[in-house]
Amino acid sequence: MSSPTTAPHPAPPRLRVLAAARPTLESQAALRHVSAHLTEVELTGKPDAVAGLGAAVVCDDDVLAARLSASGVPVVFVASGGPPPGDTWPPSAVRCLHRPGWMGGQRTVGVHTVGTIAPPRAARARAARGAVVQLSTPDLHPADHAAVARAGAALRAAAEAAQYDGKSLLGVVLDAPAPARSALLSAAGQDTGALPVVGVEEAATERLLAEASLLVSSPLLTAVNQAHAARVPLLLLPALNADQASRLAGITEAVGIEVLDAAAPDTSADRAVRSADPLWNRISRALEHASDDRRGAQRVARQVRQLLLAPF
């Protein structure tokens, strides 16, 4: 007599976590790095599908974080480039601040300073075929002709500096709203079709840096992390808004830098590029001195898991 077969138990449903960010370079990079450490949960990028969510991780989008919290979803809010404007944090279960250890600074009550949010593994440059340019103007409006002209000058200077030694320009990561991109490229004197442009929603920068000899970037914490992970020199462009000015001041105070003068690219590009190696060396020493373990993304992911186990 054969024994009865036992029906297999259905697999338990995977926990669902909303992963969302503002459509900006730093926010998207932070979200990618945190998401890489949440492989055991089901990630969704649809903020309107609130039903069935166990938690959410939101990078910089304070409006979305407040709406989710009001709907009863426990939220881990991440400020990816420094404290929110005016230090106004949205209502959320957990608040995390991306601030590398080498930058120092005062702790904020009720906020987890997580250290460096970096890629899960270093993409060390090997081929060194050319430069990658990152320009961040996330709030640029095509009707603001003065702002478009400033951003165009910065992009033109970055492109010239990137090709200082005859190497090719591998790619341009353009952090700008779609309606403003053509105006920005026109102001820079660049043909849209001739420039290898990628958007911030694409995980292209880390791949590009694996073949880069130089990173020319707006002053972003993400740029410092990328250059350090890829072991390539870093050249920072001038700040184009108040947030970048604050970020640049923090980096300058921590390590000291040379900033490319976008108003006179022909005379400053070669000098500024020569300063990129010392900048990287100073950042490396600062990282080693601060014992920065670059595990900020893991720390944010751990906060998400804790909310899933014991939501508020």
Side-chain angles (χ1 to χ4, degrees):
M1 183 175 175
S2 60
S3 58
T5 56
T6 303
H9 293 289
R14 298 186 76 192
L15 295 170
R16 292 179 67 242
V17 172
L18 172 67
R22 288 187 65 212
T24 62
L25 194 154
E26 287 198 300
S27 301
Q28 292 290 325
L31 184 65
R32 281 198 303 272
H33 302 334
V34 171
S35 298
H37 297 282
L38 290 171
T39 55
E40 77 279 14
V41 303
E42 178 186 347
L43 294 176
T44 177
K46 299 178 180 179
D48 294 327
V50 174
L53 285 179
V57 54
V58 178
C59 295
D60 300 306
D61 191 336
D62 53 344
V63 175
L64 175 60
R67 179 164 64 83
L68 290 168
S69 294
S71 301
V73 178
V75 175
V76 175
F77 179 80
V78 182
S80 70
D87 288 343
T88 303
W89 293 81
S92 57
V94 180
R95 299 163 180 172
C96 294
L97 172 62
H98 173 208
R99 186 170 62 210
W102 53 266
M103 291 193 72
Q106 297 293 323
R107 291 187 173 272
T108 304
V109 176
V111 175
H112 298 267
T113 301
V114 297
T116 298
I117 296 179
R121 59 185 59 84
R124 300 178 189 276
R126 292 186 176 88
R129 295 195 301 111
V132 174
V133 168
Q134 289 185 152
L135 186 72
S136 179
T137 58
D139 301 317
L140 187 66
H141 194 281
D144 189 343
H145 301 298
V148 169
R150 285 195 303 274
L155 180 56
R156 181 171 60 252
E160 292 177 2
Q163 302 172 75
Y164 74 104
D165 60 354
K167 288 190 172 69
S168 61
L169 180 58
L170 297 184
V172 176
V173 181
L174 200 55
D175 184 8
R181 289 188 183 186
S182 59
L184 172 56
L185 292 169
S186 177
Q190 298 286 343
D191 179 5
T192 307
L195 206 60
V197 176
V198 298
V200 298
E201 67 280 356
E202 305 172 56
T205 308
E206 286 84 358
R207 294 195 301 270
L208 287 172
L209 283 172
E211 298 182 346
S213 56
L214 174 70
L215 174 60
V216 184
S217 177
S218 296
L220 307 170
L221 291 182
T222 294
V224 176
N225 297 337
Q226 289 167 329
H228 188 259
R231 298 295 192 267
V232 296
L234 172 65
L235 173 60
L236 293 180
L237 294 165
L240 292 175
N241 56 41
D243 286 344
Q244 289 183 13
S246 174
R247 230 156 295 180
L248 183 57
I251 297 170
T252 303
E253 183 178 346
V255 298
I257 59 168
E258 289 278 351
V259 179
L260 177 61
D261 181 4
D266 292 336
T267 59
S268 65
D270 185 62
R271 172 187 57 78
V273 169
R274 286 200 304 271
S275 75
D277 270 315
L279 167 62
W280 180 82
N281 290 331
R282 286 194 293 271
I283 290 173
S284 297
R285 288 196 297 270
L287 282 165
E288 292 168 4
H289 180 71
S291 300
D292 195 325
D293 57 15
R294 302 175 59 80
R295 294 179 182 175
Q298 291 98 310
R299 293 188 180 97
V300 176
R302 188 180 305 124
Q303 295 291 342
V304 175
R305 293 190 192 95
Q306 289 176 354
L307 283 186
L308 291 170
L309 293 173
F312 73 104

